[in-house]
Amino acid sequence: MDIPEREFGFNTRSLHAGAHPDPATGARALPIYQTTSYVFEDPESAAAYFNLQEYGNTYSRIMNPTVAALEERIANLDGGVGAVGFASGLAAQSAAFFTMLTPGDHVVASSALYGGSITQLKHLFRKMSIELDFVDPDEPRAWKSAIRSNTKLFFAETIGNPGGNVLDIEAVAAVAHAEGIPLMVDNTFATPYLCRPIEWGADIVVYSATKFIGGHGTTIGGLGVDSGDFDWSNGRFPVVSEPSPAYHGLKFHETFGFYGYLMKLRTETLRDLGAAMSPFNAFLLAQGIETLPLRMDRHVHNANIIANYLNDHPVVQRVSYPGLDASPYKELTTKYLPKGPGAVFCFDIPGGRDAGLKFIDSLSLFSHLANVGDAKSLVIHPATTTHRQLNDEELTGAGINAGTIRVSIGIEDAEDLIWDLDNALNVISSTSASTSAS
Ligand code: PLP
């Protein structure tokens, strides 16, 4: 009897997509293929692999079966045609950028990005002679008016780090596509469980897998997912469609069709930048992704409780969680993030930098460190750490001031997190009371 086809649900795919019991040993867990290289069947196959006439493992800087399982899983969860793994989120971004950009090109990016991304764009791009404009991500008209004849890319985060702005993906994608420009979205804070940007028109999705995808704070990694929908032969991207001098004249778009960009990302850019994901890291990230839906539900549940608690607290001045009823992003959250807008957000306390640092010092359960998306709750003072390289105008654009605290809400008992926050807020209110009395 023929078994009918079935489209598996997200939970099932988080566990199974891209991986099968090992045919050689029967091992049920994903094997770690800790090898640099692969013995070729014969000289002809070796040549065919290097010519990209056949697809086969050559060298682990470019491909590895453990990394491939993770790549296939994320592509499946995101609805892309494929994915490439990298050593970090910033490596994934660099590679995704430099597969499509050449000196003299122009990029329009959201001003509300992770500080490291802003620094990467501003300084690395300048070194590569790439022009850049930051725009208010909430204004589709700002994106439109920033377009120039040499504009090659729009770049934004689904949920901005740390301001919590929610991108109107469909509207920004429409502006980009009307001019033949791709939209790249950093979906790190949402993960494919909360939002799948490709379904709303994004062309490329990048991740810092270091965060919720891994979920345990053990592993740095990055992923780039291609929708396969963008037309790289529209005249703006000779670097993808014309013969590549870095690959003996191969025309990636013509040869591989909707896989063209992805093939170039892997076989040319990853090959040359060299920032490959290690098989062991891919294994750890794949362990994490198995429980992504369960963890994200719990993260969102707790974040909602904590955001409302902070919002009602007399000492707290502003809470940026987009899930709050009063958030200006509530409508966009309902549209793009119906299961909830993640678990990373900011709030402001009075007393500026000193109060911010004192607050952090008074916490005991939250860990003070530079990461987000861990199962454990985390806290940081962005103005002096993650966003330290930004000037005042850029800090304002990113929704940060001297008294801003960023939290990443974990999966502990919410009451315990409130106990911790309450203690630290009491320290702040007693300090400000004694300062105003003196
Ligand atoms: N994108 C976002 C939203 C981030 O928060 C980070 C790091 O904090 C990155 C990208 C960079 O990721 P990685 O540290 O894995 O390079």
Side-chain angles (χ1 to χ4, degrees), residues 10-19 30 69-78 191-193 207 209 211-216 223 281-296:
F10 194 95
N11 292 283
T12 307
R13 291 183 284 127
S14 298
L15 285 153
H16 293 278
L30 175 64
L70 178 70
E71 292 167 341
E72 210 177 302
R73 189 164 307 169
I74 193 78
N76 178 298
L77 295 178
D78 255 310
T191 80
Y193 180 66
Y207 289 99
K211 319 298 181 197
F212 293 102
I213 286 179
H216 298 94
L223 291 158
N281 282 2
F283 167 80
L284 290 172
L285 295 169
Q287 301 306 298
I289 223 168
E290 291 193 353
T291 57
L292 183 71
L294 296 174
R295 284 185 289 108
M296 291 316 289

Short mmCIF file of all heavy atoms in Angstrom, two decimals, residues 10-19 30 69-78 191-193 207 209 211-216 223 281-296:
data_model
loop_
_atom_site.label_atom_id
_atom_site.label_comp_id
_atom_site.label_asym_id
_atom_site.label_seq_id
_atom_site.Cartn_x
_atom_site.Cartn_y
_atom_site.Cartn_z
N PHE A 10 5.60 22.00 12.29
CA PHE A 10 6.84 22.68 12.68
C PHE A 10 7.59 21.90 13.78
O PHE A 10 8.81 21.75 13.74
CB PHE A 10 6.53 24.11 13.15
CG PHE A 10 7.74 24.97 13.26
CD1 PHE A 10 8.12 25.81 12.23
CD2 PHE A 10 8.55 24.93 14.40
CE1 PHE A 10 9.26 26.60 12.33
CE2 PHE A 10 9.69 25.71 14.51
CZ PHE A 10 10.04 26.56 13.46
N ASN A 11 6.83 21.39 14.77
CA ASN A 11 7.47 20.65 15.87
C ASN A 11 8.19 19.41 15.34
O ASN A 11 9.32 19.13 15.72
CB ASN A 11 6.43 20.22 16.91
CG ASN A 11 5.85 21.41 17.63
OD1 ASN A 11 6.48 21.98 18.52
ND2 ASN A 11 4.65 21.81 17.24
N THR A 12 7.51 18.70 14.45
CA THR A 12 8.09 17.47 13.89
C THR A 12 9.33 17.81 13.08
O THR A 12 10.37 17.13 13.19
CB THR A 12 7.04 16.78 12.98
OG1 THR A 12 5.84 16.61 13.75
CG2 THR A 12 7.52 15.45 12.47
N ARG A 13 9.23 18.86 12.28
CA ARG A 13 10.37 19.23 11.42
C ARG A 13 11.56 19.74 12.25
O ARG A 13 12.71 19.54 11.87
CB ARG A 13 9.93 20.25 10.38
CG ARG A 13 8.97 19.61 9.37
CD ARG A 13 8.56 20.56 8.27
NE ARG A 13 7.57 21.52 8.72
CZ ARG A 13 7.69 22.84 8.59
NH1 ARG A 13 8.73 23.37 8.01
NH2 ARG A 13 6.73 23.64 9.03
N SER A 14 11.27 20.38 13.39
CA SER A 14 12.37 20.84 14.26
C SER A 14 13.21 19.66 14.73
O SER A 14 14.41 19.79 15.00
CB SER A 14 11.84 21.57 15.50
OG SER A 14 11.13 22.70 15.12
N LEU A 15 12.59 18.50 14.84
CA LEU A 15 13.29 17.30 15.30
C LEU A 15 13.90 16.49 14.16
O LEU A 15 14.95 15.87 14.33
CB LEU A 15 12.32 16.39 16.06
CG LEU A 15 11.97 16.87 17.46
CD1 LEU A 15 10.61 16.37 17.87
CD2 LEU A 15 13.03 16.45 18.45
N HIS A 16 13.22 16.48 13.03
CA HIS A 16 13.59 15.50 11.99
C HIS A 16 14.17 16.08 10.71
O HIS A 16 14.90 15.36 10.01
CB HIS A 16 12.36 14.67 11.62
CG HIS A 16 11.89 13.78 12.73
ND1 HIS A 16 12.46 12.56 13.00
CD2 HIS A 16 10.92 13.94 13.66
CE1 HIS A 16 11.85 12.00 14.03
NE2 HIS A 16 10.91 12.81 14.45
N ALA A 17 13.83 17.31 10.37
CA ALA A 17 14.23 17.80 9.04
C ALA A 17 15.75 17.76 8.88
O ALA A 17 16.49 18.16 9.79
CB ALA A 17 13.71 19.22 8.82
N GLY A 18 16.20 17.25 7.77
CA GLY A 18 17.63 17.27 7.44
C GLY A 18 18.44 16.15 8.05
O GLY A 18 19.63 16.02 7.75
N ALA A 19 17.86 15.33 8.92
CA ALA A 19 18.65 14.28 9.57
C ALA A 19 17.87 12.97 9.59
O ALA A 19 16.67 12.97 9.83
CB ALA A 19 19.02 14.70 10.99
N LEU A 30 22.37 12.76 15.55
CA LEU A 30 23.14 13.28 14.41
C LEU A 30 24.63 13.02 14.63
O LEU A 30 25.20 13.49 15.61
CB LEU A 30 22.88 14.79 14.29
CG LEU A 30 23.67 15.56 13.24
CD1 LEU A 30 23.32 15.08 11.83
CD2 LEU A 30 23.37 17.06 13.37
N ALA A 69 23.18 18.91 7.85
CA ALA A 69 21.91 18.54 8.50
C ALA A 69 21.27 19.77 9.14
O ALA A 69 20.06 20.01 9.02
CB ALA A 69 22.16 17.46 9.54
N LEU A 70 22.10 20.58 9.79
CA LEU A 70 21.57 21.81 10.41
C LEU A 70 21.09 22.79 9.34
O LEU A 70 20.03 23.42 9.48
CB LEU A 70 22.66 22.45 11.28
CG LEU A 70 22.27 23.77 11.94
CD1 LEU A 70 21.24 23.54 13.04
CD2 LEU A 70 23.50 24.48 12.51
N GLU A 71 21.88 22.90 8.26
CA GLU A 71 21.50 23.81 7.16
C GLU A 71 20.14 23.40 6.58
O GLU A 71 19.26 24.23 6.34
CB GLU A 71 22.57 23.78 6.06
CG GLU A 71 23.89 24.40 6.50
CD GLU A 71 25.06 24.11 5.55
OE1 GLU A 71 24.99 23.16 4.74
OE2 GLU A 71 26.07 24.82 5.63
N GLU A 72 19.99 22.10 6.37
CA GLU A 72 18.73 21.63 5.77
C GLU A 72 17.56 21.86 6.72
O GLU A 72 16.46 22.21 6.32
CB GLU A 72 18.86 20.15 5.44
CG GLU A 72 18.02 19.77 4.24
CD GLU A 72 18.19 18.31 3.87
OE1 GLU A 72 19.34 17.90 3.59
OE2 GLU A 72 17.20 17.60 3.88
N ARG A 73 17.84 21.70 8.00
CA ARG A 73 16.74 21.87 8.97
C ARG A 73 16.27 23.33 9.01
O ARG A 73 15.08 23.62 8.96
CB ARG A 73 17.17 21.42 10.37
CG ARG A 73 15.98 21.40 11.32
CD ARG A 73 16.24 20.61 12.56
NE ARG A 73 16.72 19.27 12.28
CZ ARG A 73 17.22 18.44 13.19
NH1 ARG A 73 17.29 18.81 14.45
NH2 ARG A 73 17.64 17.24 12.85
N ILE A 74 17.22 24.26 9.07
CA ILE A 74 16.80 25.67 9.16
C ILE A 74 16.13 26.10 7.86
O ILE A 74 15.13 26.83 7.87
CB ILE A 74 17.98 26.60 9.54
CG1 ILE A 74 17.48 27.99 9.95
CG2 ILE A 74 18.99 26.77 8.44
CD1 ILE A 74 16.93 28.09 11.31
N ALA A 75 16.64 25.63 6.72
CA ALA A 75 16.01 26.00 5.44
C ALA A 75 14.58 25.47 5.40
O ALA A 75 13.65 26.15 4.96
CB ALA A 75 16.82 25.43 4.28
N ASN A 76 14.40 24.27 5.89
CA ASN A 76 13.07 23.66 5.93
C ASN A 76 12.14 24.49 6.84
O ASN A 76 11.02 24.82 6.47
CB ASN A 76 13.22 22.22 6.44
CG ASN A 76 11.89 21.52 6.55
OD1 ASN A 76 11.03 21.94 7.30
ND2 ASN A 76 11.73 20.43 5.81
N LEU A 77 12.61 24.82 8.04
CA LEU A 77 11.76 25.55 8.99
C LEU A 77 11.41 26.94 8.48
O LEU A 77 10.34 27.47 8.77
CB LEU A 77 12.45 25.64 10.36
CG LEU A 77 12.67 24.31 11.08
CD1 LEU A 77 13.40 24.53 12.41
CD2 LEU A 77 11.35 23.58 11.31
N ASP A 78 12.34 27.54 7.72
CA ASP A 78 12.12 28.90 7.23
C ASP A 78 11.40 28.94 5.89
O ASP A 78 11.02 30.01 5.43
CB ASP A 78 13.47 29.63 7.08
CG ASP A 78 13.69 30.64 8.19
OD1 ASP A 78 12.77 31.45 8.41
OD2 ASP A 78 14.74 30.61 8.82
N THR A 191 13.33 33.89 15.43
CA THR A 191 13.51 32.50 15.02
C THR A 191 12.36 32.11 14.06
O THR A 191 11.29 32.73 14.10
CB THR A 191 13.55 31.46 16.19
OG1 THR A 191 12.22 31.18 16.63
CG2 THR A 191 14.42 31.93 17.34
N PRO A 192 12.56 31.04 13.29
CA PRO A 192 11.47 30.67 12.36
C PRO A 192 10.21 30.19 13.08
O PRO A 192 9.16 30.08 12.45
CB PRO A 192 12.09 29.54 11.52
CG PRO A 192 13.30 29.09 12.26
CD PRO A 192 13.77 30.23 13.09
N TYR A 193 10.33 29.92 14.37
CA TYR A 193 9.12 29.51 15.10
C TYR A 193 8.13 30.67 15.25
O TYR A 193 6.93 30.49 15.13
CB TYR A 193 9.49 28.94 16.47
CG TYR A 193 8.27 28.48 17.25
CD1 TYR A 193 7.51 27.40 16.80
CD2 TYR A 193 7.86 29.14 18.40
CE1 TYR A 193 6.38 26.99 17.48
CE2 TYR A 193 6.73 28.73 19.10
CZ TYR A 193 5.99 27.65 18.63
OH TYR A 193 4.87 27.25 19.31
N TYR A 207 20.82 34.50 10.51
CA TYR A 207 20.67 34.24 11.94
C TYR A 207 22.01 34.29 12.64
O TYR A 207 23.00 33.77 12.11
CB TYR A 207 20.12 32.82 12.19
CG TYR A 207 18.68 32.65 11.79
CD1 TYR A 207 18.35 32.07 10.58
CD2 TYR A 207 17.67 33.09 12.63
CE1 TYR A 207 17.03 31.93 10.21
CE2 TYR A 207 16.35 32.95 12.27
CZ TYR A 207 16.03 32.37 11.06
OH TYR A 207 14.72 32.24 10.70
N ALA A 209 22.91 32.05 15.12
CA ALA A 209 22.42 30.81 15.72
C ALA A 209 22.89 30.68 17.16
O ALA A 209 22.40 29.84 17.92
CB ALA A 209 22.91 29.62 14.89
N LYS A 211 22.13 32.46 19.45
CA LYS A 211 21.06 32.89 20.38
C LYS A 211 20.02 31.78 20.56
O LYS A 211 20.36 30.71 20.99
CB LYS A 211 20.43 34.19 19.88
CG LYS A 211 21.42 35.22 19.32
CD LYS A 211 22.42 35.69 20.34
CE LYS A 211 23.36 36.72 19.71
NZ LYS A 211 24.56 36.96 20.45
N PHE A 212 18.78 32.03 20.19
CA PHE A 212 17.70 31.08 20.51
C PHE A 212 17.85 29.75 19.77
O PHE A 212 17.35 28.74 20.25
CB PHE A 212 16.34 31.69 20.16
CG PHE A 212 15.99 32.86 21.03
CD1 PHE A 212 16.11 34.16 20.56
CD2 PHE A 212 15.52 32.66 22.33
CE1 PHE A 212 15.78 35.24 21.37
CE2 PHE A 212 15.18 33.74 23.14
CZ PHE A 212 15.31 35.03 22.66
N ILE A 213 18.46 29.76 18.60
CA ILE A 213 18.54 28.51 17.85
C ILE A 213 19.35 27.48 18.65
O ILE A 213 18.92 26.35 18.83
CB ILE A 213 19.12 28.76 16.44
CG1 ILE A 213 18.02 29.43 15.61
CG2 ILE A 213 19.62 27.47 15.79
CD1 ILE A 213 18.38 29.78 14.22
N GLY A 214 20.50 27.88 19.16
CA GLY A 214 21.26 27.01 20.06
C GLY A 214 20.55 26.93 21.41
O GLY A 214 20.26 25.86 21.92
N GLY A 215 20.33 28.10 21.98
CA GLY A 215 19.49 28.20 23.18
C GLY A 215 20.16 27.90 24.50
O GLY A 215 19.54 28.07 25.54
N HIS A 216 21.41 27.43 24.47
CA HIS A 216 22.03 27.04 25.73
C HIS A 216 23.29 27.83 26.06
O HIS A 216 23.99 27.50 27.01
CB HIS A 216 22.33 25.54 25.71
CG HIS A 216 21.10 24.72 25.56
ND1 HIS A 216 20.64 24.28 24.34
CD2 HIS A 216 20.17 24.33 26.47
CE1 HIS A 216 19.49 23.63 24.52
NE2 HIS A 216 19.19 23.66 25.80
N LEU A 223 23.79 31.39 10.36
CA LEU A 223 23.14 30.70 9.24
C LEU A 223 22.60 31.73 8.27
O LEU A 223 22.09 32.79 8.68
CB LEU A 223 21.98 29.83 9.75
CG LEU A 223 22.39 28.61 10.58
CD1 LEU A 223 21.24 28.14 11.46
CD2 LEU A 223 22.86 27.47 9.67
N ASN A 281 30.05 22.34 16.49
CA ASN A 281 29.08 23.42 16.74
C ASN A 281 27.76 23.15 16.05
O ASN A 281 26.69 23.43 16.61
CB ASN A 281 29.67 24.77 16.29
CG ASN A 281 30.68 25.30 17.31
OD1 ASN A 281 30.95 24.65 18.31
ND2 ASN A 281 31.21 26.47 17.05
N ALA A 282 27.81 22.59 14.84
CA ALA A 282 26.57 22.26 14.14
C ALA A 282 25.78 21.22 14.95
O ALA A 282 24.56 21.30 15.06
CB ALA A 282 26.87 21.74 12.75
N PHE A 283 26.50 20.26 15.51
CA PHE A 283 25.85 19.24 16.33
C PHE A 283 25.14 19.88 17.53
O PHE A 283 23.97 19.60 17.81
CB PHE A 283 26.91 18.23 16.81
CG PHE A 283 26.43 17.31 17.89
CD1 PHE A 283 25.66 16.20 17.58
CD2 PHE A 283 26.75 17.55 19.22
CE1 PHE A 283 25.20 15.35 18.59
CE2 PHE A 283 26.30 16.71 20.23
CZ PHE A 283 25.53 15.61 19.91
N LEU A 284 25.85 20.78 18.23
CA LEU A 284 25.25 21.42 19.41
C LEU A 284 24.04 22.27 19.02
O LEU A 284 23.01 22.28 19.70
CB LEU A 284 26.29 22.29 20.14
CG LEU A 284 27.39 21.51 20.86
CD1 LEU A 284 28.47 22.46 21.36
CD2 LEU A 284 26.82 20.70 22.02
N LEU A 285 24.16 23.00 17.91
CA LEU A 285 23.05 23.85 17.47
C LEU A 285 21.86 22.99 17.04
O LEU A 285 20.70 23.35 17.27
CB LEU A 285 23.51 24.77 16.33
CG LEU A 285 24.58 25.80 16.75
CD1 LEU A 285 25.19 26.48 15.53
CD2 LEU A 285 24.00 26.84 17.70
N ALA A 286 22.15 21.82 16.46
CA ALA A 286 21.06 20.92 16.07
C ALA A 286 20.36 20.36 17.31
O ALA A 286 19.14 20.17 17.30
CB ALA A 286 21.59 19.79 15.19
N GLN A 287 21.12 20.12 18.38
CA GLN A 287 20.47 19.69 19.63
C GLN A 287 19.51 20.78 20.11
O GLN A 287 18.40 20.52 20.56
CB GLN A 287 21.50 19.43 20.76
CG GLN A 287 22.54 18.39 20.47
CD GLN A 287 21.94 17.08 20.05
OE1 GLN A 287 21.22 16.45 20.81
NE2 GLN A 287 22.21 16.69 18.83
N GLY A 288 19.98 22.02 20.00
CA GLY A 288 19.15 23.14 20.45
C GLY A 288 17.88 23.26 19.64
O GLY A 288 16.78 23.42 20.18
N ILE A 289 18.01 23.16 18.34
CA ILE A 289 16.87 23.42 17.46
C ILE A 289 15.75 22.39 17.68
O ILE A 289 14.58 22.67 17.45
CB ILE A 289 17.34 23.49 15.99
CG1 ILE A 289 16.66 24.65 15.28
CG2 ILE A 289 17.09 22.25 15.23
CD1 ILE A 289 17.27 24.97 13.93
N GLU A 290 16.13 21.20 18.18
CA GLU A 290 15.11 20.17 18.44
C GLU A 290 14.03 20.67 19.40
O GLU A 290 12.88 20.28 19.31
CB GLU A 290 15.77 18.90 19.01
CG GLU A 290 16.63 18.17 18.00
CD GLU A 290 17.02 16.77 18.45
OE1 GLU A 290 16.75 16.40 19.62
OE2 GLU A 290 17.62 16.04 17.64
N THR A 291 14.43 21.53 20.34
CA THR A 291 13.47 22.00 21.35
C THR A 291 13.08 23.46 21.11
O THR A 291 12.50 24.10 22.00
CB THR A 291 14.06 21.86 22.77
OG1 THR A 291 15.29 22.60 22.83
CG2 THR A 291 14.31 20.41 23.15
N LEU A 292 13.38 23.99 19.94
CA LEU A 292 13.10 25.41 19.67
C LEU A 292 11.63 25.79 19.95
O LEU A 292 11.37 26.76 20.65
CB LEU A 292 13.50 25.75 18.23
CG LEU A 292 13.32 27.21 17.83
CD1 LEU A 292 14.34 28.10 18.53
CD2 LEU A 292 13.45 27.38 16.32
N PRO A 293 10.66 25.03 19.43
CA PRO A 293 9.27 25.45 19.66
C PRO A 293 8.90 25.49 21.14
O PRO A 293 8.25 26.43 21.60
CB PRO A 293 8.45 24.39 18.93
CG PRO A 293 9.38 23.74 17.97
CD PRO A 293 10.75 23.84 18.57
N LEU A 294 9.36 24.47 21.89
CA LEU A 294 9.02 24.43 23.32
C LEU A 294 9.65 25.60 24.05
O LEU A 294 9.01 26.27 24.88
CB LEU A 294 9.54 23.13 23.96
CG LEU A 294 8.95 21.83 23.45
CD1 LEU A 294 9.68 20.65 24.06
CD2 LEU A 294 7.47 21.78 23.82
N ARG A 295 10.92 25.84 23.75
CA ARG A 295 11.62 26.93 24.44
C ARG A 295 11.01 28.28 24.07
O ARG A 295 10.82 29.14 24.93
CB ARG A 295 13.12 26.92 24.10
CG ARG A 295 13.88 25.84 24.84
CD ARG A 295 15.38 25.93 24.59
NE ARG A 295 15.75 25.56 23.23
CZ ARG A 295 16.15 26.39 22.28
NH1 ARG A 295 16.28 27.69 22.55
NH2 ARG A 295 16.45 25.95 21.08
N MET A 296 10.72 28.49 22.79
CA MET A 296 10.21 29.81 22.38
C MET A 296 8.86 30.10 23.03
O MET A 296 8.59 31.23 23.43
CB MET A 296 10.13 29.92 20.85
CG MET A 296 11.47 29.95 20.15
SD MET A 296 12.74 31.00 20.89
CE MET A 296 12.12 32.64 20.51
#
